[in-house]
Amino acid sequence: MENAAIAAQLDAFAALLELNGASFYTSRAYRRAAELIRDTPAPVAELVREGRVRELRGIGPSIEARLRELVETGELAELRELEESLMPELVGLGQLIGVGPKRMRELAQALGVRTTEEFRAAVAEGRLRSVPGVGPKTEAKLKAGLERSSKPRPRRGLTLNRAWALAGGVADALDGEVAGDPRRWRDSSEDIAVVVAAEDPAPVLEQFEALTEIVSVVEREERRAIGVTVEGVPVELVVPEPSSFGTALVRATGAVPYVSALEPLALGASEDAVYEALGVPWCPPELRERASRDEPPRFLLRADDVRGDLHVHTTWSDGKASVLEMGEAAIALGYEYLAICDHTVNVRVVPGLDADAVRRQGEEIAEANERLAPFRTLRGIECDILADGTLDLPDDVLAELDWVQLSLHAGQRQAGPELTRKVTEAMRHPAVRCLSHPTGRLINHRPPNALDLERAFEVAVEEGVAIEVNGLPDRLDLRDEHVREAIEAGVQICVNTDAHSVRGLANMRLAVATARRGAAQVADVLNTKPLEQVLELRRR
Ligand SMILES: [Zn+2]
Ligand SMILES: [Zn+2]
């Protein structure tokens, strides 16, 4: 059993546990285990057989027992039982058309149906009206929902990590390519697609329908299908002939305005062939948003241009790894430097560092540097802006540090003028090097604050302060269009992960992709430069 298949089973199990009313923490433990297994290079099935799987961080005894069952029997008995009782197929369909899981099961029981097809047939026959509590209005709503399912959208977009786990898992299982919003690294994915080349599409479609993550197929054509996850997230599968794979990939990648500007597309087996036939330079998917046939920026940022990460946490605040462990992981990623930026005390919801702790941490960082030289861990801080606009550490402590990330955590709802005044004044503090997650948004949870970004960019340029593109999947802040505006204003940006664990360092690809969506070139990004130049910032 391959890692991706094991991870898919755990994800499906987590979704069903959640559906069954299990605690958030229980289902999250399985989701995290799935993520971990997906990212583990070694074959996890072998680790399980050798009794070594708990060497992976985050795998405890109960998950180990599940993994053992999965590896030995090929399935999870409890998953099967939950499937029997919870009817995930109909629940997934229900979530897609706006009916909650409990109500959908009630409807299914009253109609005596168990599958998407049976449900559709019952609705078409007008049998819904015989169900107690279903009036003409509800019937009309469900019918409309079923009709719309030929081009469905999830109720809310998926963050990039979840979109890639889902689409990447499907693509791996079918030997295809991820397309749609995740391939363009859109911050929130609504349109998730996978493209698989095959002369004969039937076996691919069957394999797709049999995937653990796809609970229901709501649309099936000869070379296309739409499947739904138990959460009601639609995944489109496109199965072109190999000779037109490139064409199908361009089309499924989108976005619609971009593809429309290229139409009519030439037929080609690869994207290169399609672009060549069109006489248009190949365009990185991140930049396929608006109508354009232009040459992409020559030195568009790439992941391997990044020389260091300037915002990470450790066990000194709410991180999971030590300074040394984070440093070693950064070296393994090929970095030259890493700024340790734990929280200050004002953040409150998690432990923060006071002046004394910052100095003690400095000793640990110095020791790490002795062991890791010539690699450099920087003494940094993620310093809160206090309610009165001052910083959460004394000036003499701030002056000792190599790298100060300025962060607003509380008070995101303040009115624009006051918020902007507070943040920009704090940016003028001589110790500050970079403004973290400027708009404070949390995708699907919190809208952006009222900070006047134009003003913040002006002050950043005046003061020589950098501005962060935060790579946490629910932040991605600055977002793409703001990256573009910042660069046009002459701001230096930093692509940072805000990692709270060794694995969190991998979110650099999200920060880089977001910067690319804003057309950031290597010279626009501070942490593509050697450390001496990074530290020259504000010392002009
Ligand atoms: Zn923060
Ligand atoms: Zn942080």
Side-chain angles (χ1 to χ4, degrees):
M1 205 170 200
E2 297 202 2
N3 290 2
I6 295 174
Q9 294 277 334
L10 293 184
D11 268 335
F13 190 49
L16 290 184
L17 287 172
E18 210 169 69
L19 204 56
N20 201 31
S23 81
F24 165 74
Y25 297 98
T26 309
S27 56
R28 189 179 63 177
Y30 284 100
R31 279 192 212 286
R32 287 199 168 160
E35 251 179 76
L36 172 71
I37 287 167
R38 214 173 263 121
D39 292 349
T40 301
V44 168
E46 255 170 58
L47 296 178
V48 171
R49 277 189 220 102
E50 291 162 8
R52 290 177 49 211
V53 74
R54 284 179 63 189
E55 290 169 19
L56 299 175
R57 232 179 226 241
I59 302 285
S62 63
I63 290 179
E64 183 188 21
R66 301 286 186 187
L67 289 173
R68 192 172 293 280
E69 183 191 352
L70 201 49
V71 168
E72 284 168 5
T73 70
E75 60 170 32
L76 292 172
E78 198 182 337
L79 175 72
R80 291 279 159 269
E81 283 161 28
L82 288 172
E83 275 178 347
E84 273 298 305
S85 61
L86 296 175
M87 297 194 250
E89 174 171 352
L90 287 177
V91 167
L93 177 69
Q95 306 261 44
L96 181 71
I97 63 177
V99 183
K102 193 161 158 262
R103 182 70 179 136
M104 193 64 183
R105 276 197 293 273
E106 286 165 7
L107 290 177
Q109 257 145 18
L111 293 167
V113 301
R114 286 198 71 87
T115 67
T116 299
E117 256 162 67
E118 290 167 2
F119 182 79
R120 262 186 207 281
V123 173
E125 288 161 15
R127 286 172 49 208
L128 267 179
R129 261 165 292 165
S130 67
V131 178
V134 177
K137 246 174 97 183
T138 312
E139 189 190 17
K141 188 188 128 194
L142 292 182
K143 274 193 161 162
L146 286 175
E147 276 156 29
R148 264 200 311 276
S149 66
S150 65
K151 192 68 193 170
R153 287 273 179 277
R155 281 174 310 159
R156 53 161 56 167
L158 270 69
T159 50
L160 268 171
N161 53 335
R162 295 199 54 206
W164 268 102
L166 173 60
V170 172
D172 279 352
L174 304 180
D175 198 15
E177 291 266 354
V178 172
D181 293 343
R183 184 160 183 243
R184 300 196 319 281
W185 298 85
R186 192 165 173 246
D187 54 1
S188 170
S189 289
E190 293 174 351
D191 187 0
I192 297 172
V194 170
V195 185
V196 183
E199 294 291 355
D200 178 9
V204 181
L205 275 111
E206 271 156 39
Q207 223 187 324
F208 177 65
E209 288 187 25
L211 291 175
T212 318
E213 46 272 66
I214 300 301
V215 295
S216 168
V217 170
V218 295
E219 179 99 354
R220 182 169 173 162
E221 296 163 19
E222 199 199 334
R223 290 194 168 270
R224 177 176 173 269
I226 294 174
V228 179
T229 69
V230 72
E231 291 98 344
V233 176
V235 180
E236 183 180 22
L237 173 70
V238 186
V239 192
E241 306 256 6
S243 60
S244 60
F245 174 76
T247 316
L249 185 59
V250 171
R251 209 164 261 141
T253 300
V256 173
Y258 173 80
V259 177
S260 300
L262 296 185
E263 295 278 10
L265 295 185
L267 285 187
S270 67
E271 277 200 342
D272 284 343
V274 176
Y275 278 91
E276 205 180 300
L278 287 170
V280 172
W282 181 82
C283 181
E286 293 94 328
L287 290 171
R288 300 185 197 174
E289 218 56 44
R290 324 167 178 183
S292 162
R293 299 169 74 100
D294 299 344
E295 184 99 35
R298 184 138 173 241
F299 300 108
L300 191 66
L301 178 69
R302 291 173 317 169
D304 56 11
D305 294 318
V306 176
R307 294 188 191 230
D309 194 331
L310 293 169
H311 180 176
V312 307
H313 294 262
T314 70
T315 45
W316 281 83
S317 64
D318 55 344
K320 293 197 177 63
S322 67
V323 171
L324 189 65
E325 286 167 327
M326 291 302 275
E328 284 167 340
I331 291 172
L333 290 171
Y335 291 159
E336 296 164 19
Y337 49 86
L338 180 75
I340 305 296
C341 297
D342 281 303
H343 289 291
T344 54
V345 288
N346 182 63
V347 75
R348 281 195 197 94
V349 286
V350 298
L353 276 62
D354 60 13
D356 184 51
V358 168
R359 291 195 163 123
R360 280 184 287 121
Q361 187 188 42
E363 291 164 25
E364 185 172 323
I365 290 174
E367 279 168 34
N369 279 331
E370 267 173 41
R371 296 188 41 185
L372 302 178
F375 180 85
R376 276 284 304 279
T377 45
L378 303 180
R379 283 186 71 194
I381 196 80
E382 176 172 14
C383 188
D384 260 49
I385 308 175
L386 303 180
D388 65 1
T390 58
L391 301 192
D392 194 20
L393 279 173
D395 285 350
D396 62 326
V397 179
L398 288 169
E400 286 175 19
L401 299 177
D402 303 308
W403 189 256
V404 175
Q405 288 277 147
L406 176 68
S407 289
L408 185 75
H409 287 120
Q412 297 281 6
R413 280 197 215 103
Q414 207 170 18
E418 289 93 85
L419 184 71
T420 303
R421 198 172 320 119
K422 188 163 91 178
V423 171
T424 52
E425 269 168 30
M427 286 168 75
R428 294 190 193 278
H429 188 289
V432 168
R433 303 303 185 94
C434 181
L435 176 64
S436 319
H437 44 67
T439 77
R441 72 163 178 171
L442 292 176
I443 297 172
N444 292 335
H445 290 289
R446 187 166 71 202
N449 62 30
L451 178 68
D452 179 348
L453 282 177
E454 209 179 312
R455 184 74 198 115
F457 295 160
E458 276 169 24
V459 174
V461 172
E462 276 168 39
E463 293 289 331
V465 166
I467 294 196
E468 174 178 85
V469 178
N470 185 295
L472 287 173
D474 59 350
R475 285 196 183 271
L476 302 179
D477 180 9
L478 298 173
R479 61 169 301 170
D480 45 15
E481 67 206 51
H482 294 149
V483 170
R484 197 182 289 267
E485 290 164 15
I487 288 170
E488 277 163 12
V491 174
Q492 279 281 294
I493 62 168
C494 288
V495 283
N496 289 339
T497 62
D498 202 351
H500 286 66
S501 64
V502 164
R503 291 184 52 228
L505 293 169
N507 284 330
M508 184 57 83
R509 63 183 178 172
L510 304 193
V512 168
T514 302
R516 285 164 63 89
R517 286 175 59 85
Q521 302 204 56
V522 180
D524 303 318
V525 182
L526 188 67
N527 48 333
T528 62
K529 301 186 197 316
L531 182 60
E532 312 81 74
Q533 285 179 42
V534 172
L535 295 181
E536 268 165 28
L537 188 74
R538 302 204 76 190
R539 288 195 190 141
R540 290 160 302 173

